[in-house]
Amino acid sequence: MNPGRYLAVGFGLGILMLLMLHLRLETRVRRDEFGPAEFDEKYISYMPHSGLHNQRIALINAAMIALALNRTLIMPELNLGFATYWRPSIPLAHRLDDCVGQSLHALQTKERGKWYLPNCTDYKNYLPMAVDSIFDLRILEQMGIKTIQRRHMQLDYFARYWGIPQDSRNQSMVHQIPDRTRYSVQVLDKPDADRKNIRYERTITFGELAQHHEPFLLFNSLFGSSRLALSDSRWVRAREQMRQEIGLRQPHVMNASLDVVSKLGGPGNFVSAHIRMGDGAFKQLMNETMEQVRNKLIHLSNDDALNQTTLASVVALRGRPADRLARCLQLQPPRHHRFGLIYVSTDAPDPHNTLAHLYDEFACLFSLQDFGDVAKTTIAMDLPLFAPRIPHKDDSPPVITTKGSVLLPLIDAEIASLGSHFVPTPKSTFSSYITNRNKRFQRLYDPSS
């Protein structure tokens, strides 16, 4: 494909406007603070949006392009708060510039949830974190991919920290690939790659991207598991490695999840499942999802005759999770599916009520709700956010915190990833993350050894 198609009529003006937005240089900036605009290497970056696991998918897509083009990846911050919407290039840049600072200021002044801007409703719980404070990026280093944490998402970032001038030289220093729709651009490793998802309006190949010699290559959105269509086995293997190896590394998440896993008898001593039901289409499909998960859990066991006396003794402990767990551990490995030790990860606010029929079916089913000490300790935490927001030269960035409750879904995921089998919610990126991490666990850990 001719890369000149990206400058077709209707896109040229948008590209120029977005370029000026990103590279706007404020008059208060002193150039001698940041050094000359000279580059010994080339870079790639993109814009963040959506929920955490969609952000992780975008990170992996960007890392794959960085690997193919031998560029350093400038990673945008991760948002641990509520998912933000995808938007076309220019509106998304404006939202990040206008709304993130407002959200952080509200947290700093204890006015969270009280501020209002008409275009920032989905940023009222935006919680930025440095990427490597949440995810383990060692696989990128092993592959030779260099990474840099972007300091903030304000419009003048490239001018302020990279010294990009606000004049015609911009066009020789930055190449942008804008979005006007959610499925604007699909990246192919070669022209005849198996696209699978043909909703994308246009394509560009690694080879075409490599023809751009500008120091900076900037994408708007890179979300979506089908964003990269790969056919070459080396790229397919590299992406699969990233999907399995880029896992959680936040210290409290790791310690809390291992605490629960040890209580469950250790890695591989239980089956895990994920039931997403709290929002959007998942809420509408929650009954179907629960039935699918139920059937798959049942079929994991070869049932002997059910001992009703034993079942009654376990059910009687429903309100005493520690005692019920101790009894269930005695019944492993189970001789009937109703005694199978199961950990369910879910966004249901009260699993004992919402999933009552599953607790009835599976007497040894547990959720994070049954490990109240872990949840209580986590919620009581004050978690520092990544908020340098352009301090003056001699200033230190303010310490802004949020409650540790944002870590509960991460703990949930990490526990579920260590099951002997994992039953996912179809089409959930949260389930997809756990599936990939469980594949890694299965590959590295043999419970029979």
Side-chain angles (χ1 to χ4, degrees):
M1 176 179 291
N2 184 351
R5 290 178 62 184
Y6 287 99
L7 300 178
V9 175
F11 278 89
L13 180 60
I15 293 175
L16 181 59
M17 289 176 63
L18 180 58
L19 184 62
M20 299 305 288
L21 284 171
H22 272 292
L23 307 180
R24 183 180 64 193
L25 180 60
E26 297 186 5
T27 57
R28 68 176 184 270
V29 178
R30 298 198 306 272
R31 281 291 305 115
D32 59 349
E33 290 182 20
F34 307 103
E38 298 177 358
F39 306 101
D40 297 325
E41 55 187 308
K42 295 178 181 179
Y43 304 88
I44 178 176
S45 194
Y46 62 99
M47 305 284 276
H49 64 84
S50 300
L52 178 63
H53 295 288
N54 271 314
Q55 294 173 70
R56 177 179 170 274
I57 291 170
L59 170 68
I60 291 172
N61 288 340
M64 283 299 306
I65 299 172
L67 177 63
L69 303 183
N70 192 28
R71 284 180 176 262
T72 296
L73 173 57
I74 302 176
M75 302 179 296
E77 60 203 20
L78 290 174
N79 169 30
L80 280 191
F82 297 154
T84 58
Y85 301 131
W86 172 90
R87 291 180 174 87
S89 301
I90 293 175
L92 181 57
H94 270 300
R95 293 298 189 277
L96 289 163
D97 183 67
D98 294 340
C99 304
V100 174
Q102 291 280 353
S103 179
L104 291 172
H105 178 73
L107 282 171
Q108 187 179 15
T109 57
K110 311 302 181 185
E111 294 293 319
R112 179 176 175 177
K114 297 181 181 179
W115 65 280
Y116 173 76
L117 286 177
N119 293 322
C120 295
T121 54
D122 54 326
Y123 285 84
K124 296 187 75 171
N125 191 43
Y126 187 95
L127 304 173
M129 299 291 294
V131 177
D132 66 357
S133 71
I134 300 299
F135 289 125
D136 183 347
L137 302 179
R138 287 177 295 178
I139 187 63
L140 302 188
E141 182 179 358
Q142 293 168 16
M143 290 181 173
I145 304 170
K146 296 180 181 179
T147 60
I148 296 173
Q149 178 63 59
R150 180 168 172 168
R151 288 180 61 83
H152 58 75
M153 298 307 300
Q154 291 175 319
L155 293 174
D156 66 352
Y157 167 78
F158 287 98
R160 182 175 286 271
Y161 292 102
W162 296 93
I164 304 294
Q166 188 180 2
D167 56 35
S168 60
R169 288 175 293 173
N170 291 340
Q171 296 183 28
S172 67
M173 302 177 76
V174 180
H175 179 74
Q176 298 199 42
I177 300 176
D179 283 350
R180 67 176 185 181
T181 68
R182 188 180 293 266
Y183 295 98
S184 284
V185 184
Q186 187 177 38
V187 181
L188 316 181
D189 61 349
K190 52 187 179 181
D192 61 348
D194 182 5
R195 294 184 60 194
K196 296 182 180 178
N197 189 330
I198 60 174
R199 289 181 292 179
Y200 291 92
E201 297 176 352
R202 57 195 189 281
T203 63
I204 189 169
T205 66
F206 284 168
E208 290 170 330
L209 290 173
Q211 294 174 17
H212 291 282
H213 300 294
E214 298 90 342
F216 294 92
L217 179 63
L218 301 182
F219 284 83
N220 182 50
S221 173
L222 280 174
F223 94 106
S225 298
S226 61
R227 177 70 61 171
L228 268 60
L230 306 178
S231 294
D232 190 307
S233 59
R234 60 176 170 161
W235 302 132
V236 172
R237 286 195 303 269
R239 180 169 63 182
E240 183 62 20
Q241 276 189 284
M242 291 184 194
R243 286 174 172 174
Q244 292 189 22
E245 297 294 333
I246 297 180
L248 296 166
R249 61 160 290 178
Q250 205 281 336
H252 178 79
V253 170
M254 304 309 293
N255 291 333
S257 59
L258 289 176
D259 182 15
V260 173
V261 168
S262 67
K263 293 176 180 177
L264 289 167
N269 193 55
F270 58 95
V271 170
S272 59
H274 172 228
I275 298 177
R276 181 173 175 181
M277 58 193 307
D279 60 346
F282 297 101
K283 189 172 184 178
Q284 298 176 2
L285 295 172
M286 64 180 184
N287 290 330
E288 180 180 334
T289 298
M290 287 189 287
E291 187 60 21
Q292 288 178 348
V293 170
R294 173 184 173 275
N295 287 332
K296 288 181 179 180
L297 290 173
I298 289 174
H299 291 139
L300 288 175
S301 298
N302 294 317
D303 290 352
D304 291 341
L306 178 62
N307 187 318
Q308 294 289 349
T309 301
T310 301
L311 177 63
S313 71
V314 177
V315 171
L317 300 173
R318 176 75 63 85
R320 295 152 52 192
D323 293 336
R324 182 165 61 94
L325 178 56
R327 181 70 180 105
C328 286
L329 288 170
Q330 296 172 351
L331 299 174
Q332 307 307 308
R335 295 185 176 182
H336 195 280
H337 76 266
R338 299 194 70 176
F339 300 130
L341 189 57
I342 300 169
Y343 181 85
V344 61
S345 170
T346 181
D347 58 355
D350 184 5
H352 278 275
N353 287 325
T354 310
L355 309 180
H357 65 295
L358 293 181
Y359 274 93
D360 290 340
E361 176 74 31
F362 303 102
C364 292
L365 184 145
F366 295 84
S367 68
L368 196 55
Q369 186 180 30
D370 295 301
F371 301 91
D373 55 337
V374 172
K376 184 177 180 180
T377 302
T378 303
I379 292 170
M381 287 179 59
D382 285 324
L383 182 67
L385 299 177
F386 179 71
R389 318 316 300 177
I390 323 180
H392 294 293
K393 184 177 180 180
D394 297 323
D395 288 347
S396 297
V399 177
I400 303 175
T401 63
T402 190
K403 288 300 181 184
S405 54
V406 297
L407 299 179
L408 292 175
L410 309 190
I411 296 170
D412 230 6
E414 188 64 19
I415 297 167
S417 72
L418 297 176
S420 60
H421 299 275
F422 173 65
V423 179
T425 290
K427 299 183 179 180
S428 163
T429 56
F430 189 91
S431 273
S432 178
Y433 167 78
I434 300 172
T435 297
N436 282 304
R437 293 296 288 171
N438 187 251
K439 286 180 181 178
R440 178 183 183 274
F441 169 70
Q442 299 292 344
R443 174 168 52 86
L444 297 178
Y445 181 82
D446 181 359
S448 64
S449 63

